[in-house]
Short mmCIF file of all heavy atoms in Angstrom, two decimals:
data_model
loop_
_atom_site.label_atom_id
_atom_site.label_comp_id
_atom_site.label_asym_id
_atom_site.label_seq_id
_atom_site.Cartn_x
_atom_site.Cartn_y
_atom_site.Cartn_z
N MET A 164 1.30 11.92 12.31
CA MET A 164 2.11 11.05 11.44
C MET A 164 2.47 11.77 10.18
O MET A 164 1.61 12.24 9.47
CB MET A 164 1.32 9.76 11.08
CG MET A 164 1.22 8.74 12.18
SD MET A 164 2.59 7.59 12.24
CE MET A 164 2.20 6.41 11.01
N SER A 165 3.75 11.85 9.89
CA SER A 165 4.16 12.53 8.67
C SER A 165 4.46 11.51 7.57
O SER A 165 4.78 11.87 6.45
CB SER A 165 5.38 13.38 8.94
OG SER A 165 6.43 12.58 9.42
N GLU A 166 4.35 10.23 7.90
CA GLU A 166 4.68 9.21 6.92
C GLU A 166 3.54 9.06 5.91
O GLU A 166 2.42 8.73 6.28
CB GLU A 166 4.90 7.87 7.64
CG GLU A 166 5.99 7.06 7.01
CD GLU A 166 6.31 5.83 7.85
OE1 GLU A 166 6.05 5.81 9.04
OE2 GLU A 166 6.80 4.90 7.26
N ARG A 167 3.87 9.31 4.65
CA ARG A 167 2.83 9.23 3.63
C ARG A 167 3.23 8.23 2.57
O ARG A 167 4.38 8.20 2.14
CB ARG A 167 2.61 10.59 2.99
CG ARG A 167 1.84 11.55 3.86
CD ARG A 167 1.71 12.89 3.18
NE ARG A 167 1.18 12.77 1.82
CZ ARG A 167 1.22 13.77 0.94
NH1 ARG A 167 1.75 14.91 1.25
NH2 ARG A 167 0.72 13.60 -0.28
N ALA A 168 2.29 7.46 2.15
CA ALA A 168 2.54 6.52 1.07
C ALA A 168 2.55 7.30 -0.25
O ALA A 168 1.92 8.34 -0.37
CB ALA A 168 1.47 5.46 1.04
N GLY A 169 3.26 6.81 -1.22
CA GLY A 169 3.36 7.48 -2.49
C GLY A 169 2.15 7.23 -3.37
O GLY A 169 1.16 6.66 -2.92
N THR A 170 2.26 7.68 -4.58
CA THR A 170 1.18 7.49 -5.55
C THR A 170 1.12 6.04 -6.01
O THR A 170 2.14 5.48 -6.42
CB THR A 170 1.43 8.39 -6.77
OG1 THR A 170 1.64 9.70 -6.33
CG2 THR A 170 0.27 8.33 -7.74
N PRO A 171 -0.05 5.43 -5.93
CA PRO A 171 -0.18 4.06 -6.42
C PRO A 171 -0.08 4.03 -7.94
O PRO A 171 -0.51 4.95 -8.62
CB PRO A 171 -1.55 3.63 -5.93
CG PRO A 171 -2.31 4.91 -5.77
CD PRO A 171 -1.32 5.96 -5.41
N PHE A 172 0.50 2.98 -8.47
CA PHE A 172 0.64 2.86 -9.93
C PHE A 172 -0.59 2.28 -10.60
O PHE A 172 -0.89 2.55 -11.74
CB PHE A 172 1.88 2.02 -10.29
CG PHE A 172 3.16 2.70 -9.93
CD1 PHE A 172 3.97 2.19 -8.94
CD2 PHE A 172 3.55 3.87 -10.57
CE1 PHE A 172 5.14 2.83 -8.61
CE2 PHE A 172 4.72 4.52 -10.24
CZ PHE A 172 5.53 3.99 -9.24
N HIS A 173 -1.28 1.44 -9.86
CA HIS A 173 -2.49 0.87 -10.43
C HIS A 173 -3.46 0.50 -9.30
O HIS A 173 -3.09 0.36 -8.15
CB HIS A 173 -2.17 -0.37 -11.29
CG HIS A 173 -1.41 -1.41 -10.56
ND1 HIS A 173 -1.97 -2.28 -9.69
CD2 HIS A 173 -0.10 -1.69 -10.58
CE1 HIS A 173 -1.05 -3.07 -9.20
NE2 HIS A 173 0.13 -2.74 -9.72
N CYS A 174 -4.71 0.35 -9.68
CA CYS A 174 -5.77 0.01 -8.72
C CYS A 174 -5.55 -1.40 -8.19
O CYS A 174 -5.34 -2.33 -8.97
CB CYS A 174 -7.11 0.12 -9.44
SG CYS A 174 -8.50 -0.49 -8.45
N PRO A 175 -5.59 -1.57 -6.84
CA PRO A 175 -5.40 -2.91 -6.27
C PRO A 175 -6.60 -3.82 -6.53
O PRO A 175 -6.53 -5.03 -6.28
CB PRO A 175 -5.22 -2.63 -4.78
CG PRO A 175 -5.88 -1.33 -4.54
CD PRO A 175 -5.73 -0.54 -5.82
N PHE A 176 -7.69 -3.29 -7.01
CA PHE A 176 -8.90 -4.08 -7.21
C PHE A 176 -9.06 -4.57 -8.65
O PHE A 176 -9.37 -5.69 -8.93
CB PHE A 176 -10.13 -3.30 -6.78
CG PHE A 176 -10.09 -2.93 -5.33
CD1 PHE A 176 -9.68 -1.66 -4.94
CD2 PHE A 176 -10.47 -3.84 -4.36
CE1 PHE A 176 -9.63 -1.34 -3.60
CE2 PHE A 176 -10.42 -3.52 -3.02
CZ PHE A 176 -10.00 -2.26 -2.64
N CYS A 177 -8.83 -3.65 -9.61
CA CYS A 177 -9.06 -4.01 -10.99
C CYS A 177 -7.81 -3.83 -11.87
O CYS A 177 -7.81 -4.25 -13.02
CB CYS A 177 -10.22 -3.20 -11.56
SG CYS A 177 -9.80 -1.45 -11.85
N GLY A 178 -6.74 -3.24 -11.32
CA GLY A 178 -5.51 -3.10 -12.09
C GLY A 178 -5.51 -1.89 -13.00
O GLY A 178 -4.52 -1.63 -13.69
N GLU A 179 -6.56 -1.13 -12.97
CA GLU A 179 -6.66 0.08 -13.81
C GLU A 179 -5.62 1.11 -13.35
O GLU A 179 -5.29 1.22 -12.18
CB GLU A 179 -8.07 0.64 -13.70
CG GLU A 179 -8.32 1.90 -14.51
CD GLU A 179 -8.13 1.69 -15.99
OE1 GLU A 179 -8.88 0.89 -16.58
OE2 GLU A 179 -7.20 2.30 -16.55
N THR A 180 -5.06 1.87 -14.30
CA THR A 180 -4.08 2.89 -13.94
C THR A 180 -4.66 4.29 -13.94
O THR A 180 -3.96 5.27 -13.75
CB THR A 180 -2.87 2.83 -14.92
OG1 THR A 180 -3.36 2.93 -16.25
CG2 THR A 180 -2.10 1.55 -14.75
N ASP A 181 -5.95 4.39 -14.16
CA ASP A 181 -6.62 5.68 -14.19
C ASP A 181 -7.05 6.09 -12.77
O ASP A 181 -8.20 5.99 -12.38
CB ASP A 181 -7.83 5.60 -15.13
CG ASP A 181 -8.38 6.98 -15.47
OD1 ASP A 181 -7.71 7.99 -15.17
OD2 ASP A 181 -9.49 7.03 -16.06
N LEU A 182 -6.03 6.50 -11.98
CA LEU A 182 -6.29 6.81 -10.56
C LEU A 182 -6.22 8.32 -10.33
O LEU A 182 -5.37 9.00 -10.87
CB LEU A 182 -5.22 6.11 -9.70
CG LEU A 182 -5.17 4.58 -9.84
CD1 LEU A 182 -4.05 4.04 -8.97
CD2 LEU A 182 -6.49 3.95 -9.45
N TRP A 183 -7.06 8.77 -9.47
CA TRP A 183 -7.11 10.20 -9.13
C TRP A 183 -7.19 10.37 -7.63
O TRP A 183 -7.76 9.52 -6.94
CB TRP A 183 -8.34 10.83 -9.81
CG TRP A 183 -8.28 10.78 -11.29
CD1 TRP A 183 -8.59 9.72 -12.09
CD2 TRP A 183 -7.83 11.82 -12.16
NE1 TRP A 183 -8.38 10.01 -13.39
CE2 TRP A 183 -7.90 11.33 -13.47
CE3 TRP A 183 -7.38 13.12 -11.93
CZ2 TRP A 183 -7.54 12.10 -14.56
CZ3 TRP A 183 -7.02 13.87 -13.04
CH2 TRP A 183 -7.10 13.38 -14.34
N PRO A 184 -6.66 11.48 -7.12
CA PRO A 184 -6.80 11.72 -5.68
C PRO A 184 -8.29 11.83 -5.29
O PRO A 184 -9.07 12.46 -6.00
CB PRO A 184 -6.10 13.09 -5.49
CG PRO A 184 -5.21 13.26 -6.67
CD PRO A 184 -5.90 12.54 -7.80
N HIS A 185 -8.59 11.18 -4.20
CA HIS A 185 -9.96 11.19 -3.71
C HIS A 185 -10.12 12.34 -2.74
O HIS A 185 -9.36 12.45 -1.78
CB HIS A 185 -10.29 9.84 -3.06
CG HIS A 185 -11.72 9.68 -2.71
ND1 HIS A 185 -12.74 9.78 -3.61
CD2 HIS A 185 -12.30 9.44 -1.51
CE1 HIS A 185 -13.89 9.58 -3.00
NE2 HIS A 185 -13.67 9.37 -1.74
N GLU A 186 -11.09 13.21 -2.96
CA GLU A 186 -11.21 14.43 -2.18
C GLU A 186 -11.63 14.20 -0.74
O GLU A 186 -11.33 14.92 0.16
CB GLU A 186 -12.20 15.38 -2.85
CG GLU A 186 -11.81 15.79 -4.27
CD GLU A 186 -10.54 16.64 -4.29
OE1 GLU A 186 -10.29 17.36 -3.31
OE2 GLU A 186 -9.80 16.59 -5.29
N ALA A 187 -12.38 13.13 -0.53
CA ALA A 187 -13.02 12.92 0.78
C ALA A 187 -12.04 12.72 1.92
O ALA A 187 -12.28 13.17 3.03
CB ALA A 187 -14.00 11.75 0.70
N ALA A 188 -10.94 12.03 1.66
CA ALA A 188 -10.01 11.74 2.74
C ALA A 188 -8.56 11.91 2.25
O ALA A 188 -8.24 11.59 1.11
CB ALA A 188 -10.22 10.33 3.23
N HIS A 189 -7.72 12.41 3.12
CA HIS A 189 -6.33 12.62 2.78
C HIS A 189 -5.63 11.30 2.51
O HIS A 189 -5.80 10.35 3.24
CB HIS A 189 -5.65 13.36 3.92
CG HIS A 189 -4.26 13.79 3.60
ND1 HIS A 189 -3.98 14.84 2.75
CD2 HIS A 189 -3.06 13.32 3.99
CE1 HIS A 189 -2.66 15.00 2.66
NE2 HIS A 189 -2.09 14.08 3.40
N GLY A 190 -4.84 11.25 1.46
CA GLY A 190 -4.09 10.03 1.13
C GLY A 190 -4.95 8.94 0.52
O GLY A 190 -4.55 7.79 0.50
N SER A 191 -6.10 9.28 0.05
CA SER A 191 -6.95 8.26 -0.58
C SER A 191 -7.07 8.55 -2.07
O SER A 191 -6.86 9.65 -2.56
CB SER A 191 -8.33 8.24 0.08
OG SER A 191 -8.98 9.48 -0.05
N TRP A 192 -7.40 7.52 -2.78
CA TRP A 192 -7.43 7.57 -4.23
C TRP A 192 -8.71 6.97 -4.75
O TRP A 192 -9.31 6.11 -4.11
CB TRP A 192 -6.24 6.78 -4.81
CG TRP A 192 -4.94 7.36 -4.40
CD1 TRP A 192 -4.29 7.11 -3.22
CD2 TRP A 192 -4.17 8.31 -5.11
NE1 TRP A 192 -3.14 7.87 -3.17
CE2 TRP A 192 -3.03 8.60 -4.32
CE3 TRP A 192 -4.30 8.94 -6.35
CZ2 TRP A 192 -2.04 9.48 -4.71
CZ3 TRP A 192 -3.31 9.84 -6.75
CH2 TRP A 192 -2.21 10.10 -5.94
N GLU A 193 -9.09 7.40 -5.95
CA GLU A 193 -10.27 6.77 -6.55
C GLU A 193 -9.91 6.24 -7.93
O GLU A 193 -9.08 6.83 -8.64
CB GLU A 193 -11.46 7.75 -6.63
CG GLU A 193 -11.18 9.04 -7.40
CD GLU A 193 -12.32 10.00 -7.29
OE1 GLU A 193 -12.80 10.26 -6.17
OE2 GLU A 193 -12.77 10.48 -8.34
N CYS A 194 -10.46 5.12 -8.24
CA CYS A 194 -10.21 4.46 -9.53
C CYS A 194 -11.37 4.74 -10.46
O CYS A 194 -12.53 4.49 -10.11
CB CYS A 194 -10.04 2.95 -9.28
SG CYS A 194 -9.98 2.03 -10.82
N ARG A 195 -11.04 5.27 -11.62
CA ARG A 195 -12.09 5.58 -12.59
C ARG A 195 -12.49 4.33 -13.36
O ARG A 195 -13.47 4.34 -14.09
CB ARG A 195 -11.61 6.66 -13.57
CG ARG A 195 -11.24 7.98 -12.89
CD ARG A 195 -12.48 8.79 -12.56
NE ARG A 195 -12.20 9.85 -11.58
CZ ARG A 195 -11.78 11.09 -11.88
NH1 ARG A 195 -11.61 11.43 -13.13
NH2 ARG A 195 -11.58 11.97 -10.94
N GLY A 196 -11.72 3.27 -13.19
CA GLY A 196 -12.03 2.03 -13.91
C GLY A 196 -13.16 1.27 -13.22
O GLY A 196 -14.12 0.87 -13.85
N CYS A 197 -13.03 1.04 -11.90
CA CYS A 197 -14.05 0.27 -11.18
C CYS A 197 -14.82 1.14 -10.19
O CYS A 197 -15.67 0.64 -9.46
CB CYS A 197 -13.41 -0.92 -10.47
SG CYS A 197 -12.22 -0.45 -9.17
N LEU A 198 -14.51 2.44 -10.20
CA LEU A 198 -15.23 3.39 -9.36
C LEU A 198 -15.16 3.04 -7.87
O LEU A 198 -16.16 3.11 -7.15
CB LEU A 198 -16.70 3.53 -9.80
CG LEU A 198 -16.87 4.02 -11.24
CD1 LEU A 198 -18.35 4.08 -11.60
CD2 LEU A 198 -16.22 5.37 -11.47
N ARG A 199 -13.96 2.63 -7.46
CA ARG A 199 -13.73 2.36 -6.04
C ARG A 199 -12.80 3.45 -5.47
O ARG A 199 -11.96 3.95 -6.16
CB ARG A 199 -13.06 1.03 -5.83
CG ARG A 199 -13.96 -0.19 -5.89
CD ARG A 199 -13.14 -1.42 -5.58
NE ARG A 199 -13.94 -2.64 -5.55
CZ ARG A 199 -14.10 -3.46 -6.57
NH1 ARG A 199 -13.54 -3.19 -7.70
NH2 ARG A 199 -14.83 -4.52 -6.44
N ALA A 200 -13.01 3.75 -4.21
CA ALA A 200 -12.08 4.63 -3.50
C ALA A 200 -11.33 3.77 -2.51
O ALA A 200 -11.89 2.88 -1.88
CB ALA A 200 -12.83 5.74 -2.79
N PHE A 201 -10.03 4.03 -2.40
CA PHE A 201 -9.24 3.25 -1.47
C PHE A 201 -8.15 4.11 -0.86
O PHE A 201 -7.88 5.24 -1.31
CB PHE A 201 -8.65 2.01 -2.15
CG PHE A 201 -7.75 2.32 -3.31
CD1 PHE A 201 -6.38 2.45 -3.11
CD2 PHE A 201 -8.27 2.50 -4.57
CE1 PHE A 201 -5.54 2.74 -4.19
CE2 PHE A 201 -7.45 2.77 -5.65
CZ PHE A 201 -6.08 2.90 -5.46
N GLN A 202 -7.52 3.62 0.16
CA GLN A 202 -6.52 4.37 0.89
C GLN A 202 -5.23 3.57 0.99
O GLN A 202 -5.26 2.37 1.17
CB GLN A 202 -7.04 4.63 2.31
CG GLN A 202 -6.72 5.98 2.82
CD GLN A 202 -7.50 6.33 4.08
OE1 GLN A 202 -8.21 5.49 4.62
NE2 GLN A 202 -7.38 7.55 4.53
N LEU A 203 -4.11 4.28 0.84
CA LEU A 203 -2.82 3.68 1.07
C LEU A 203 -2.31 4.15 2.40
O LEU A 203 -2.24 5.34 2.64
CB LEU A 203 -1.82 4.11 0.00
CG LEU A 203 -1.97 3.56 -1.41
CD1 LEU A 203 -0.79 4.02 -2.24
CD2 LEU A 203 -2.01 2.05 -1.40
N LYS A 204 -1.93 3.24 3.25
CA LYS A 204 -1.36 3.74 4.49
C LYS A 204 -0.32 2.81 5.03
O LYS A 204 -0.36 1.58 4.87
CB LYS A 204 -2.46 4.00 5.53
CG LYS A 204 -2.87 2.83 6.38
CD LYS A 204 -3.89 3.29 7.40
CE LYS A 204 -3.97 2.34 8.54
NZ LYS A 204 -4.99 2.73 9.53
N SER A 205 0.69 3.43 5.65
CA SER A 205 1.77 2.66 6.23
C SER A 205 1.33 2.11 7.59
O SER A 205 0.67 2.78 8.35
CB SER A 205 2.99 3.57 6.43
OG SER A 205 3.93 2.94 7.25
N LEU A 206 1.67 0.87 7.86
CA LEU A 206 1.38 0.26 9.14
C LEU A 206 2.58 0.33 10.07
O LEU A 206 2.60 -0.31 11.12
CB LEU A 206 0.92 -1.19 8.94
CG LEU A 206 -0.36 -1.36 8.11
CD1 LEU A 206 -0.66 -2.83 7.92
CD2 LEU A 206 -1.53 -0.67 8.77
N GLY A 207 3.58 1.10 9.69
CA GLY A 207 4.78 1.21 10.49
C GLY A 207 5.88 0.28 9.98
O GLY A 207 5.67 -0.45 9.01
N GLN A 208 7.00 0.34 10.60
CA GLN A 208 8.13 -0.46 10.15
C GLN A 208 8.08 -1.87 10.70
O GLN A 208 7.60 -2.09 11.81
CB GLN A 208 9.44 0.21 10.56
CG GLN A 208 9.66 1.53 9.81
CD GLN A 208 11.08 1.99 9.95
OE1 GLN A 208 11.51 2.40 11.01
NE2 GLN A 208 11.84 1.87 8.88
N ILE A 209 8.61 -2.78 9.95
CA ILE A 209 8.71 -4.17 10.40
C ILE A 209 10.13 -4.44 10.84
O ILE A 209 11.05 -3.74 10.40
CB ILE A 209 8.26 -5.17 9.32
CG1 ILE A 209 9.15 -5.01 8.09
CG2 ILE A 209 6.80 -4.99 8.99
CD1 ILE A 209 8.92 -6.10 7.08
N SER A 210 10.29 -5.47 11.65
CA SER A 210 11.62 -5.81 12.13
C SER A 210 12.32 -6.73 11.15
O SER A 210 11.74 -7.70 10.67
CB SER A 210 11.50 -6.48 13.50
OG SER A 210 12.62 -7.27 13.73
N ARG A 211 13.57 -6.41 10.84
CA ARG A 211 14.35 -7.25 9.92
C ARG A 211 14.54 -8.64 10.51
O ARG A 211 14.51 -9.66 9.83
CB ARG A 211 15.68 -6.60 9.66
CG ARG A 211 16.34 -7.02 8.36
CD ARG A 211 17.60 -6.25 8.13
NE ARG A 211 17.39 -4.84 7.72
CZ ARG A 211 17.19 -4.48 6.47
NH1 ARG A 211 17.17 -5.36 5.52
NH2 ARG A 211 17.01 -3.22 6.16
N ASN A 212 14.76 -8.73 11.82
CA ASN A 212 14.94 -9.99 12.49
C ASN A 212 13.70 -10.88 12.34
O ASN A 212 13.81 -12.07 12.13
CB ASN A 212 15.21 -9.77 14.00
CG ASN A 212 16.59 -9.22 14.23
OD1 ASN A 212 17.46 -9.37 13.40
ND2 ASN A 212 16.77 -8.57 15.37
N HIS A 213 12.57 -10.24 12.47
CA HIS A 213 11.33 -10.98 12.40
C HIS A 213 11.14 -11.63 11.03
O HIS A 213 10.74 -12.75 10.92
CB HIS A 213 10.16 -10.05 12.71
CG HIS A 213 8.84 -10.75 12.74
ND1 HIS A 213 8.45 -11.55 13.77
CD2 HIS A 213 7.84 -10.79 11.82
CE1 HIS A 213 7.25 -12.03 13.48
NE2 HIS A 213 6.86 -11.60 12.32
N THR A 214 11.48 -10.88 9.97
CA THR A 214 11.25 -11.38 8.61
C THR A 214 12.25 -12.48 8.25
O THR A 214 11.97 -13.33 7.43
CB THR A 214 11.36 -10.25 7.57
OG1 THR A 214 12.63 -9.62 7.74
CG2 THR A 214 10.25 -9.23 7.77
N SER A 215 13.43 -12.45 8.85
CA SER A 215 14.45 -13.43 8.47
C SER A 215 14.49 -14.63 9.44
O SER A 215 15.32 -15.50 9.30
CB SER A 215 15.82 -12.78 8.40
OG SER A 215 16.19 -12.27 9.67
N ARG A 216 13.59 -14.64 10.41
CA ARG A 216 13.60 -15.66 11.45
C ARG A 216 13.46 -17.07 10.86
O ARG A 216 14.16 -17.99 11.25
CB ARG A 216 12.50 -15.40 12.47
CG ARG A 216 12.70 -16.21 13.74
CD ARG A 216 11.74 -15.78 14.81
NE ARG A 216 10.36 -15.80 14.35
CZ ARG A 216 9.34 -15.39 15.07
NH1 ARG A 216 9.54 -14.87 16.27
NH2 ARG A 216 8.11 -15.46 14.61
N ALA A 217 12.56 -17.19 9.92
CA ALA A 217 12.27 -18.50 9.35
C ALA A 217 13.52 -19.08 8.66
O ALA A 217 13.83 -20.25 8.82
CB ALA A 217 11.12 -18.41 8.36
N THR A 218 14.21 -18.25 7.91
CA THR A 218 15.38 -18.73 7.14
C THR A 218 16.56 -19.03 8.05
O THR A 218 17.25 -20.01 7.84
CB THR A 218 15.79 -17.70 6.07
OG1 THR A 218 15.85 -16.42 6.68
CG2 THR A 218 14.79 -17.67 4.94
N THR A 219 16.77 -18.19 9.11
CA THR A 219 17.90 -18.46 10.01
C THR A 219 17.64 -19.72 10.81
O THR A 219 18.56 -20.48 11.08
CB THR A 219 18.15 -17.28 10.96
OG1 THR A 219 16.92 -16.91 11.59
CG2 THR A 219 18.70 -16.09 10.23
N LYS A 220 16.39 -19.95 11.18
CA LYS A 220 16.02 -21.15 11.94
C LYS A 220 16.34 -22.39 11.10
O LYS A 220 16.89 -23.37 11.60
CB LYS A 220 14.53 -21.09 12.25
CG LYS A 220 14.09 -22.06 13.33
CD LYS A 220 12.64 -21.80 13.67
CE LYS A 220 12.09 -22.83 14.60
NZ LYS A 220 10.66 -22.63 14.79
N GLU A 221 16.04 -22.30 9.83
CA GLU A 221 16.29 -23.40 8.92
C GLU A 221 17.79 -23.71 8.81
O GLU A 221 18.21 -24.83 8.79
CB GLU A 221 15.73 -23.03 7.54
CG GLU A 221 14.79 -24.09 6.98
CD GLU A 221 14.13 -23.59 5.71
OE1 GLU A 221 13.63 -22.48 5.69
OE2 GLU A 221 14.17 -24.35 4.71
N ALA A 222 18.58 -22.62 8.78
CA ALA A 222 20.01 -22.76 8.61
C ALA A 222 20.67 -23.44 9.81
O ALA A 222 21.61 -24.19 9.69
CB ALA A 222 20.66 -21.41 8.39
N HIS A 223 20.08 -23.21 11.01
CA HIS A 223 20.66 -23.78 12.22
C HIS A 223 20.20 -25.21 12.44
O HIS A 223 20.82 -25.96 13.19
CB HIS A 223 20.29 -22.93 13.43
CG HIS A 223 21.09 -21.65 13.48
ND1 HIS A 223 22.41 -21.66 13.80
CD2 HIS A 223 20.76 -20.37 13.27
CE1 HIS A 223 22.84 -20.39 13.76
NE2 HIS A 223 21.86 -19.61 13.41
N ALA A 224 19.11 -25.61 11.83
CA ALA A 224 18.54 -26.94 12.10
C ALA A 224 19.34 -28.07 11.45
O ALA A 224 20.06 -27.85 10.53
CB ALA A 224 17.11 -26.98 11.57
ZN1 LIG B 327 -10.16 -0.17 -10.03
#
């Protein structure tokens, strides 16, 4: 997989912006605020049809 997530702007746990690359795993980051390590990863692409299904269904009803 060549798809890589970008640099996170803030920690998803505490909101701290003091983030550093985590050495243990590729694409992972560590927060110096709450001392957590976390990973950003893509789960693949979503379907546009799938996301708009609820609104189109409403329009036809
Ligand atoms: Zn944090």
Side-chain angles (χ1 to χ4, degrees):
M164 284 273 279
S165 59
E166 217 173 336
R167 284 178 52 194
T170 307
F172 292 114
H173 55 79
C174 172
F176 299 98
C177 73
E179 179 61 63
T180 54
D181 194 9
L182 302 177
W183 296 81
H185 188 58
E186 300 293 331
H189 188 73
S191 61
W192 298 85
E193 58 186 50
C194 172
R195 298 282 163 88
C197 63
L198 300 179
R199 279 183 177 96
F201 61 93
Q202 219 167 6
L203 288 186
K204 87 176 200 183
S205 167
L206 298 177
Q208 291 195 290
I209 60 171
S210 157
R211 203 176 286 274
N212 287 338
H213 183 75
T214 55
S215 62
R216 195 170 55 184
T218 48
T219 51
K220 195 174 173 185
E221 233 172 312
H223 284 289

